[in-house]
Amino acid sequence: MWAAFEPILPWVMPMVVLAAVVSFPMLGRGPSTSRRDPWRGFKYGARAAVLERADGRCEGSLFFAWGRCFAAAVEVDHVFPHSKGGPTVVSNGQALCKDHNRRKRDMTPPWWYVLALEKRRRGYFPADQDVRVYAVMTDKDVAARARRSRRSR
Ligand SMILES: [Zn+2]
């Protein structure tokens, strides 16, 4: 049984390793819990903040990790998916066009996806904004959310 695979092992092993490296997530930025944020969609100021810092343009890449999409942003997407514990906070949001949003689905972004997004952002983010993706709800986020939902009542 094992002998049948032996001739292809020199090719299969590097492919398996490569696939594992390419799909590896970015450590230290993802959610610390798999519990879903009760807030599913970006709303109030959070949605506006994500769209505004991207200047209303899609933050997706043109080709894999290269270039920036030219389309207008119409959706605010969770970089680390909501279904996998990514919170609905500005630091986990990205502005996407319809096409990019549909293609991403609920994929957990690999490390190179996050790095490429942050590299693009250095070119267009306002100077006072952090380009880093951070899928954790901070005390500041909790406070901002409480303020926003009070105001909307
Ligand atoms: Zn796009």
Side-chain angles (χ1 to χ4, degrees), residues 7-153:
I8 59 167
L9 267 185
W11 291 278
V12 170
M13 288 309 285
M15 296 296 273
V16 169
V17 170
L18 185 69
V21 168
V22 165
S23 61
F24 204 76
M26 182 123 170
L27 294 177
R29 305 291 189 81
S32 50
T33 167
S34 59
R35 238 188 17 239
R36 290 187 189 198
D37 184 344
W39 283 28
R40 170 74 183 82
F42 285 85
K43 45 189 173 179
Y44 309 124
R47 183 182 162 81
V50 172
L51 289 170
E52 207 172 288
R53 67 185 183 179
D55 228 357
R57 184 173 150 194
C58 177
E59 301 193 77
S61 62
L62 274 181
F63 189 70
F64 288 100
W66 180 84
R68 183 182 177 191
C69 179
F70 290 100
V74 291
E75 327 259 359
V76 173
D77 172 61
H78 294 76
V79 179
F80 284 86
H82 179 260
S83 61
K84 293 170 184 163
T88 308
V89 294
V90 173
S91 58
N92 188 36
Q94 65 174 340
L96 291 183
C97 67
K98 220 177 205 110
D99 214 37
H100 266 111
N101 192 47
R102 203 190 47 230
R103 260 186 286 163
K104 184 169 170 293
R105 295 212 193 113
D106 65 343
M107 169 196 85
T108 294
W111 58 273
W112 55 267
Y113 179 103
V114 175
L115 284 184
L117 172 63
E118 293 175 354
K119 185 166 176 267
R120 284 195 293 280
R121 284 177 164 180
R122 278 183 213 113
Y124 58 83
F125 257 35
D128 63 336
Q129 295 266 340
D130 193 343
V131 298
R132 279 175 308 171
V133 173
Y134 193 50
V136 174
M137 189 164 332
T138 63
D139 294 343
K140 225 172 113 185
D141 292 315
V142 173
R145 184 174 286 193
R147 269 199 312 277
R148 279 171 196 141
S149 47
R150 251 201 316 275
R151 216 180 295 150
S152 69
R153 237 177 251 155

